[in-house]
Amino acid sequence: MNLGRALGSVGGLTLASRVLGLVRDALGARFLGAGLASDAFLIAFRLPNMFRALFAEGAFSAAFIPMFNRKVGDPEGRGLIDGIAFADDALSVLLPVLLAMTVLVELFAWPVTWLLTFGYKDASPEQFAFVVRLCRWTFPYLMLISVVSLLGGILNSMHRFWVNAAAPILLNLTLIAALLLFHTHDPLATARNQAIAVTVSGALQLAWLWQNCRANGVHLRFKRPRLNADVRRLLALIWPAAAGAGAVQINLVISTALAASLLPHGSVTYIYLADRLNQLPLGLIGIGLGTVLLPTISAQLGRGAEGEAMATQNRGMELALFLTLPATAALVTAGVPIVAALFQHGRFDPVAASYTAQALAAFSIGLPSYILVKVLTPGYYARADTRTPVRYATISMVVNLVLNLAFVVPLRHMGPPLATALSSTVNLVLLYRTLVRRGQFVADAQLRRRAWRLTAASLLMGAALWWSADRFAPYTGAPGLERWAALAVLVALGAGVYAVACFLFGAIRPSDIRALLRRPAKA
């Protein structure tokens, strides 16, 4: 498999989803501002969205795909028929559990919401009750998106990566439609409509994946739940993988809860919007690479090709650094004009934009570690080791909690993002050292040679953007198309400086670009 082309397919669709997500967030900032309405919706969306990241982009795929691949590739088995039978068994157990969980959360929404916010600072009983109502509207999304993750895991194993990568686009389109068609002069009513749209989008994503599974010859059946040996092994792998793959998401939930309980209204919104911008490169690079690497490395290890698996992971690291380092430099040095262009209009004022840019700079310090964790964890999951990542994720979550408590008061809205960034770096170091110690990853000469060159090119680009940021600020905060034109010029400037620096420092050569995009030769 050509890693660059596969990442282009997944990453391109994920990028489209993230761009639509920015459109959605810009409209949300316009119609909701930064206050009670926006904070309430974002709190209600945080829990099901966390589970979406854990299952759709993490735990379920990490546990399910290697097992499904082994069923399909077993030379003594029946191929896809055995794989689909395993998926039937998994669905028959997963669905009742999800139904029960949904009912329980609907019944106990008040204490669940309290845990998400630690009571939500300065909220009156009526305001807190409003947040609870929004949580009840959004939580059924968890059940729907978890079934979507099973179907997406099947299609990813069949190398139909694009179908699953396109599903989140439906979420953003639904929320955009709700904002444009059903916004009112009352921000609270607009927030309620957004919460309803979240669950509607889950139903649309389920219909999309179900239809594409059928189109690819996968016809799942609902049957009586059976805890056979395969399902028990799947469940045993899912829960450790959930913590291992979801450390970042769990850290964000902690950050949201502390911001809601200790900081003024609006802080949840600043942190959320900063995270959304930080998620743009993470979605394009990290999730795309993780999606492609897991089935690829699983297949290589399955046929005993340890050398190929290590080479694949080296190229994954190299590609991640090539794309991540400049994104980090840009978000740290040019956050103010970027946030102003995207969000500063309507109810979202320049002060809110400045605070969001500060939170963005803190988040972005950890961007390389967020993405490299996505590159390294398939090396564990492909070997059916979900326990080691969960140990390290647990350590990083403890570090995050301690740093959050230390930073949240003195650094305010910058404290939780900085704690999340540093705790992710701890997770990365632990994962990397263990793979190296086991002999399951060795940085080859090409990766070592290019890493420092890519760093130098990114620093040069960051310096150029830092010099340009103040000069672009008056234009990126201007009304109409002027802001978008200024942002486009700023992005083009950064990309141009980085491209030239990469070639000057020898970080990449034209032949590398051609090799990355070349179709593999047919056997």
Side-chain angles (χ1 to χ4, degrees):
M1 175 182 294
N2 187 299
L3 186 59
R5 294 186 63 83
L7 176 60
S9 173
V10 176
L13 286 167
T14 306
L15 176 62
S17 175
R18 300 295 185 186
V19 170
L20 286 172
L22 288 178
V23 173
R24 177 195 87 202
D25 293 331
L27 290 171
R30 174 187 288 273
F31 295 128
L32 298 177
L36 173 65
S38 61
D39 282 2
F41 168 70
L42 296 175
I43 290 166
F45 191 34
R46 173 60 71 194
L47 187 61
N49 199 42
M50 179 191 75
F51 276 96
R52 174 196 60 79
L54 291 181
F55 283 91
E57 296 165 0
F60 195 89
S61 294
F64 178 81
I65 289 176
M67 292 185 68
F68 185 88
N69 278 341
R70 282 194 290 272
K71 292 286 184 184
V72 173
D74 185 356
E76 299 180 1
R78 298 175 297 168
L80 186 59
I81 296 175
D82 285 345
I84 294 174
F86 168 56
D88 286 338
D89 291 335
L91 180 62
S92 70
V93 172
L94 178 67
L95 192 57
V97 171
L98 292 170
L99 283 168
M101 186 184 300
T102 301
V103 171
L104 285 174
V105 172
E106 293 293 326
L107 291 174
F108 298 101
W110 195 97
V112 170
T113 306
W114 193 94
L115 287 172
L116 282 176
T117 63
F118 298 152
Y120 195 24
K121 181 177 183 288
D122 298 333
S124 68
E126 293 78 13
Q127 291 172 333
F128 189 76
F130 175 71
V131 180
V132 173
R133 286 198 299 274
L134 294 196
C135 286
R136 285 195 168 106
W137 278 114
T138 59
F139 199 77
Y141 179 76
L142 165 62
M143 177 180 65
L144 298 167
I145 206 65
S146 296
V147 178
V148 165
S149 71
L150 183 147
L151 303 177
I154 294 171
L155 291 170
N156 284 346
S157 294
M158 299 171 69
H159 289 183
R160 305 294 192 271
F161 298 114
W162 74 272
V163 178
N164 194 36
I169 292 175
L170 293 171
L171 166 67
N172 290 315
L173 289 176
T174 305
L175 294 178
I176 289 170
L179 280 166
L180 292 176
L181 300 176
F182 300 105
H183 74 271
T184 71
H185 293 295
D186 180 7
L188 297 181
T190 302
R192 180 202 62 211
N193 295 338
Q194 283 286 278
I196 295 170
V198 168
T199 294
V200 171
S201 76
L204 293 175
Q205 291 179 74
L206 178 57
W208 164 254
L209 267 295
W210 191 272
Q211 176 57 37
N212 275 278
C213 278
R214 293 180 67 85
N216 284 278
V218 177
H219 302 274
L220 297 184
R221 298 176 298 120
F222 297 100
K223 56 187 183 181
R224 180 178 299 177
R226 290 190 309 134
L227 280 174
N228 58 29
D230 286 332
V231 172
R232 286 197 299 270
R233 178 165 175 76
L234 177 66
L235 294 175
L237 292 173
I238 283 177
W239 301 115
V248 171
Q249 293 299 321
I250 294 170
N251 286 344
L252 287 172
V253 169
I254 295 172
S255 300
T256 299
L258 290 173
S261 62
L262 298 175
L263 299 178
H265 287 177
S267 298
V268 171
T269 302
Y270 309 145
I271 293 172
Y272 169 81
L273 291 176
D275 177 52
R276 291 292 296 170
L277 285 172
N278 190 54
Q279 290 283 331
L280 185 61
L282 176 59
L284 172 63
I285 309 162
I287 294 170
L289 272 173
T291 300
V292 172
L293 285 174
L294 179 57
T296 303
I297 294 174
S298 296
Q300 290 168 338
L301 292 175
R303 63 173 187 270
E306 287 276 352
E308 288 183 29
M310 191 174 295
T312 297
Q313 209 153 20
N314 266 279
R315 301 290 71 76
M317 291 275 284
E318 186 179 329
L319 193 53
L321 291 173
F322 172 67
L323 297 171
T324 304
L325 293 175
T328 302
L331 294 177
V332 169
T333 59
V336 171
I338 291 172
V339 171
L342 292 172
F343 303 127
Q344 187 181 305
H345 45 75
R347 296 176 181 269
F348 202 83
D349 59 27
V351 173
S354 175
Y355 288 164
T356 302
Q358 292 169 3
L360 174 62
F363 263 131
S364 300
I365 292 172
L367 184 58
S369 62
Y370 303 147
I371 291 177
L372 291 176
V373 164
K374 295 283 187 181
V375 175
L376 292 179
T377 47
Y380 292 90
Y381 296 148
R383 296 174 172 89
D385 178 7
T386 58
R387 296 188 179 277
T388 300
V390 75
R391 285 205 313 272
Y392 296 157
T394 302
I395 293 171
S396 76
M397 284 186 284
V398 172
V399 171
N400 177 64
L401 179 58
V402 172
L403 293 179
N404 258 291
L405 294 172
F407 293 163
V408 69
V409 173
L411 298 181
R412 298 173 68 83
H413 52 275
M414 292 181 65
L418 182 59
T420 301
L422 295 177
S423 64
S424 180
T425 303
V426 170
N427 194 18
L428 171 66
V429 171
L430 293 172
L431 289 169
Y432 179 83
R433 287 179 59 186
T434 299
L435 281 178
V436 171
R437 188 176 67 248
R438 293 175 177 177
Q440 294 169 348
F441 180 79
V442 177
D444 61 20
Q446 179 174 315
L447 176 60
R448 294 195 304 271
R449 183 177 64 252
R450 291 187 175 175
W452 73 266
R453 290 177 167 87
L454 292 169
T455 302
S458 300
L459 290 173
L460 182 60
M461 186 205 75
L465 289 177
W466 178 80
W467 180 84
S468 305
D470 288 342
R471 291 158 177 80
F472 276 84
Y475 304 103
T476 52
L481 294 177
E482 185 176 348
R483 69 171 61 217
W484 304 112
L487 181 61
V489 172
L490 184 64
V491 170
L493 172 65
V497 171
Y498 181 63
V500 171
C502 279
F503 286 115
L504 286 178
F505 294 146
I508 198 164
R509 295 167 295 189
S511 59
D512 298 322
I513 301 296
R514 291 193 297 270
L516 191 65
L517 300 177
R518 187 181 301 128
R519 291 183 180 273
K522 294 183 178 180

